[in-house]
Amino acid sequence: MKAFTALTAAELRLLSRDPASLFFMVAFPLMLLVLKRGDGGAVPGYLAMIATIGGMGALPGLLASYRERKVLKRLATTPISPVLLLGAQLVAQVAAGLAGSVLLVVVAIAVFGVRAPGDVLMLAAAFLLCSVMVCALGFMIAAVVRNTRGASLIGMLVMFPMIFLSGAAVPRKALPGSLRQIGDFLPLTPAVKALGDAWSGTAASFPLLILAGIIVVATAAGAALFRWE
């Protein structure tokens, strides 16, 4: 447990020193909120976007770099399992996303007068499942794409269309019908819906079940394909 805590703290320190992660997970959503003049309806989507930036924008490249630099292979020869490092990275990404999300929610309510979430517990559950789901997808990308640049590139290429077509950055009702149909099949769409429903106080369990199913499938696929070196 001490080793896992130390690894998680180290991963969090590394994330805190990454200006790109800090900008896109903290400053960028706040900028969008200001540009939207405090539109409360956009906040749940921004929460999903924060989680996705960490899980798919940063995580694949980080895991690929650990493998490329033989970090995971060296850990396998020590009492610390490389699985602990992967778990620490997951916790660090979720914690960083949570920090950015809490700041966004506080600013939305305190500065712009946005109505508080209707169901805080369901909102927390939806955010946690969303965060783990996008990290599982990021893990799967890192399993398939072996080098750092390739994993980062593929993560970005998957992340940006998903953010826009799922309703995280732009309301889905503003999209053409053909793009909305594509968005229906994206894994981030049920996450946006779950967060939106929880914020409005009308949370349903079905989107959460979909997220849980995606987590299981993506984790199983990533574990089957992942190589330590």
Side-chain angles (χ1 to χ4, degrees), residues 68-82:
E68 207 167 40
R69 291 184 286 127
K70 309 294 184 183
V71 172
L72 300 178
K73 183 180 179 181
R74 288 196 295 270
L75 277 178
T77 64
T78 72
I80 301 175
S81 168

Side-chain angles (χ1 to χ4, degrees), residues 8-228:
T8 302
E11 293 297 327
L12 279 170
R13 283 195 297 271
L14 289 174
L15 278 177
S16 68
R17 296 169 186 167
D18 181 6
S21 295
L22 288 176
F23 174 77
F24 283 107
M25 297 181 75
V26 179
F28 185 62
L30 290 173
M31 290 169 57
L32 291 179
L33 183 66
V34 172
L35 291 173
K36 281 289 192 83
R37 299 178 181 178
D39 180 11
V43 174
Y46 293 165
L47 299 181
M49 180 172 61
I50 290 171
T52 306
I53 289 170
M56 300 190 70
L59 186 61
L62 284 171
L63 294 183
S65 71
Y66 287 157
R67 181 174 50 209
E68 207 167 40
R69 291 184 286 127
K70 309 294 184 183
V71 172
L72 300 178
K73 183 180 179 181
R74 288 196 295 270
L75 277 178
T77 64
T78 72
I80 301 175
S81 168
V83 175
L84 282 181
L85 180 61
L86 300 182
Q89 183 60 233
L90 169 64
V91 173
Q93 292 292 345
V94 173
L98 180 62
S101 297
V102 169
L103 178 61
L104 178 70
V105 170
V106 169
V107 171
I109 295 173
V111 177
F112 294 101
V114 173
R115 184 173 61 88
D119 193 331
V120 176
L121 290 179
M122 287 298 288
L123 183 68
F127 181 81
L128 178 61
L129 284 173
C130 175
S131 298
V132 176
M133 183 269 292
V134 292
C135 285
L137 293 176
F139 174 57
M140 190 168 65
I141 292 171
V144 175
V145 186
R146 302 300 174 86
N147 62 80
T148 304
R149 288 186 178 180
S152 297
L153 177 61
I154 296 300
M156 292 289 186
L157 289 176
V158 174
M159 179 190 74
F160 280 112
M162 192 161 64
I163 283 175
F164 283 98
L165 297 180
S166 67
V170 179
R172 296 192 69 215
K173 62 184 178 182
L175 298 173
S178 58
L179 294 182
R180 284 202 303 272
Q181 289 178 347
I182 295 173
D184 289 339
F185 299 96
L186 296 177
L188 193 61
T189 301
V192 175
K193 178 170 176 50
L195 289 163
D197 290 346
W199 190 279
S200 64
T202 59
S205 59
F206 186 64
L208 300 180
L209 293 175
I210 294 177
L211 294 178
I214 296 171
I215 290 170
V216 172
V217 172
T219 302
L225 295 170
F226 195 82
R227 297 294 179 268
W228 299 112

